[in-house]
Amino acid sequence: MTLEDYKEHAKDLSIVKGEYELETIRTTPLHGKWSSFYITEHKFLNKLNAMMKVLIQERSKFYTGKTAVPFEYVVIKTELPRYLDADPEIQLLQEQIDDQTAVTKYIAGRLECINRRSFEISNSIRWQLFQAGLKSL
């Protein structure tokens, strides 16, 4: 899923004022849902990182002339990082990794919000009691 798809799901995280009991009950399923999202996206990020390692190795062999069809120029080891940084295949995969990292960080942030949810509900109830002139239940 894309970041925009997850932003649509994030609408579930808002707390409805006055329905604190229902919102407290919804916290556990929400945490499970977003934990599942995080695990799925983090696994995909790990796969992309593994693919990057393999691609860098393949492209390094290409640029150093260790493949069946070698690169037309002789690239010395000190220049290799420049060629790898400019390689279109590596740049494309790096862009995918950057996008996936952003999605994973977004989901991690939503999980932190869910973890703080019970405190926010508790503070909202205390604030309503304070406004009503009561110290506690």
Side-chain angles (χ1 to χ4, degrees):
M1 289 189 347
T2 64
L3 187 58
E4 287 73 29
D5 294 335
Y6 287 116
K7 286 182 180 179
E8 283 296 317
H9 281 282
K11 292 178 182 176
D12 293 345
L13 301 178
S14 61
I15 298 172
V16 178
K17 185 177 180 180
E19 297 183 11
Y20 299 122
E21 182 179 346
L22 294 173
E23 293 299 331
T24 302
I25 294 170
R26 281 183 354 119
T27 300
T28 303
L30 279 173
H31 192 274
K33 175 182 173 181
W34 283 88
S35 292
S36 175
F37 288 158
Y38 180 78
I39 290 168
T40 302
E41 296 298 334
H42 193 68
K43 280 174 137 179
F44 185 59
L45 178 62
N46 288 340
K47 284 181 184 179
L48 287 174
N49 284 324
M51 288 171 53
M52 178 62 88
K53 290 176 183 176
V54 170
L55 182 60
I56 286 174
Q57 182 181 22
E58 290 173 358
R59 299 308 287 171
S60 294
K61 286 180 181 179
F62 171 73
Y63 287 122
T64 55
K66 296 178 182 175
T67 59
V69 180
F71 189 55
E72 58 191 82
Y73 303 108
V74 177
V75 178
I76 58 175
K77 286 190 177 190
T78 57
E79 293 179 348
L80 186 60
R82 280 191 349 189
Y83 281 89
L84 291 175
D85 288 342
D87 188 272
E89 292 179 35
I90 291 177
Q91 287 178 347
L92 182 64
L93 186 56
Q94 185 60 50
E95 185 179 318
Q96 290 175 342
I97 289 172
D98 293 342
D99 291 344
Q100 189 63 32
T101 301
V103 168
T104 305
K105 284 182 179 180
Y106 178 80
I107 295 171
R110 300 297 63 91
L111 275 171
E112 289 175 17
C113 289
I114 293 170
N115 290 337
R116 289 191 309 264
R117 188 177 166 91
S118 56
F119 294 111
E120 291 173 6
I121 291 170
S122 175
N123 288 338
S124 296
I125 292 170
R126 287 185 184 134
W127 178 250
Q128 285 183 340
L129 290 172
F130 175 75
Q131 285 182 323
L134 302 172
K135 287 187 177 183
S136 65
L137 294 173

